[in-house]
Amino acid sequence: SRVYSSLSGTFFAPDEVELFVEYSNDVFVVGSPAISLNLDGDKFAVYKGMADGRTLAFGYVCESEDSSAGLDYTASDAFHFLNKGFTDGVYMDNVHTTLVVDNTFPDVGEAGSLGRENTVVIDATRAANTGVLMTPFSSTAGEIMLLAYSYNLC
């Protein structure tokens, strides 16, 4: 399998980073897969659906405390199922049988890994405008108004 994002660049809260897992053949999914990410805490991208017959789409919504110079999954076994049931899995139809697909990712940083395919940066320091202060609060034509902007680095 190959893991990649549709975009490279810098993302901020509450941007969504889309990730894709591409297989060599058409597959179908039973259950709710997720991908563990290399962010502080227990963060993972959640399954959104099939992008096409052989590609699974995942999404992660950046949070204000997230920071990563290079988003990647945690390890080659980062693919897992939430609340795994007996039949959960990724399957490939064969002519006479249904095969369970190996969901082991390439090692982190290797060819086919998210970090190698794309540069996805998550920056927790986006400046946010928290308000505008105008004085005086009422004015007449010809008066000068003072505007002050307040920024909060979140």
Side-chain angles (χ1 to χ4, degrees):
S1 61
R2 174 182 152 222
V3 184
Y4 65 96
S5 177
S6 57
L7 300 171
S8 289
T10 303
F11 295 83
F12 306 93
D15 294 341
E16 182 177 26
V17 179
E18 288 188 324
L19 307 176
F20 300 92
V21 178
E22 180 181 70
Y23 296 94
S24 57
N25 295 303
D26 284 354
V27 295
F28 66 93
V29 176
V30 176
S32 300
I35 301 172
S36 296
L37 300 175
N38 66 338
L39 298 168
D40 287 340
D42 191 19
K43 307 282 179 88
F44 49 88
V46 295
Y47 180 63
K48 294 174 63 176
M50 297 295 295
D52 61 40
R54 62 187 195 134
T55 306
L56 284 60
F58 293 80
Y60 177 73
V61 177
C62 300
E63 298 176 3
S64 60
E65 69 274 4
D66 290 340
S67 186
S68 175
L71 183 67
D72 212 333
Y73 44 81
T74 55
S76 60
D77 63 352
F79 187 100
H80 62 278
F81 283 84
L82 304 173
N83 305 316
K84 183 157 175 52
F86 182 72
T87 59
D88 289 355
V90 178
Y91 300 94
M92 179 177 58
D93 274 334
N94 198 340
V95 175
H96 300 290
T97 186
T98 300
L99 305 173
V100 177
V101 175
D102 178 13
N103 291 310
T104 304
F105 291 159
D107 288 335
V108 173
E110 295 296 319
S113 69
L114 175 61
R116 182 80 175 261
E117 294 283 324
N118 299 87
T119 301
V120 176
V121 175
I122 299 178
D123 189 350
T125 61
R126 173 186 254 175
N129 182 349
T130 59
V132 177
L133 172 67
M134 297 187 306
T135 59
F137 292 105
S138 62
S139 65
T140 58
E143 288 185 343
I144 296 175
M145 295 179 61
L146 174 64
L147 299 176
Y149 293 91
S150 173
Y151 287 91
N152 181 20
L153 295 178
C154 50

